[in-house]
Amino acid sequence: QLGALAQSMKDGIAQFKPNVQLINILCNGGLRERHWDQFADVVGFSIKPHDRTSLADMIEKKLQPFLNKMEEISDGASKEWSLEKNLERQLAEWTEQVFLMQPYRDTGTSILAGSCVDEIQTILDDQIVKTQTM
């Protein structure tokens, strides 16, 4: 009996395994409207999920022949999402930064003053390097 149960489980897993790639593609948190539009261009119809869309609904659409191209789109979405998150972190660093200003002679212009100049320069240099590596 245990052998039959084990074989049944193994068969079930083998049957489900081809769907893992589809799940990874469609469950990408970085997918935006434009990516769903690209998927539609690839497969020839809209596959954008709705509130009641299930994995079975997606499997029924027979998307297997398109998975490689869809995976490229999903990978691109992941990279874009990563860039967005990195840029948001960089922006957050600036929202906490205090800019101390002082009047510059009698020109009516203000300049950065004090130790904030060094802090700003450090953040700026760090972010330039991070941005170039993106």
Side-chain angles (χ1 to χ4, degrees):
Q1 262 182 341
L2 287 177
L5 178 61
Q7 187 60 45
S8 173
M9 292 291 290
K10 184 178 176 183
D11 292 344
I13 291 170
Q15 257 186 323
F16 184 77
K17 193 173 180 178
N19 299 316
V20 173
Q21 184 182 14
L22 179 63
I23 293 168
N24 286 332
I25 291 168
L26 299 178
C27 293
N28 181 342
L31 291 174
R32 302 289 184 258
E33 188 69 35
R34 67 182 173 277
H35 301 114
W36 292 105
D37 292 342
Q38 290 173 346
F39 288 155
D41 291 342
V42 169
V43 302
F45 53 89
S46 177
I47 62 168
K48 185 174 180 188
H50 304 284
D51 293 340
R52 297 197 174 264
T53 302
S54 67
L55 177 59
D57 295 334
M58 290 299 188
I59 292 170
E60 286 176 13
K61 294 180 189 233
K62 303 197 183 315
L63 301 171
Q64 295 296 343
F66 309 106
L67 290 184
N68 288 336
K69 184 62 179 162
M70 290 174 65
E71 190 169 44
E72 289 176 22
I73 295 167
S74 183
D75 288 346
S78 293
K79 290 174 186 172
E80 291 171 16
W81 193 32
S82 175
L83 288 173
E84 288 173 18
K85 293 297 176 194
N86 286 332
L87 292 174
E88 286 172 9
R89 278 194 291 274
Q90 287 183 1
L91 182 60
E93 284 185 71
W94 288 109
T95 57
E96 299 170 5
Q97 186 61 42
V98 176
F99 292 81
L100 299 175
M101 306 295 283
Q102 71 181 23
Y104 181 70
R105 298 184 185 162
D106 293 328
T107 63
T109 303
S110 296
I111 60 171
L112 291 171
S115 64
C116 78
V117 175
D118 292 334
E119 292 173 33
I120 291 169
Q121 187 64 49
T122 301
I123 293 170
L124 185 60
D125 290 342
D126 183 50
Q127 289 190 355
I128 287 171
V129 170
K130 287 178 182 176
T131 302
Q132 287 174 338
T133 59
M134 287 185 213

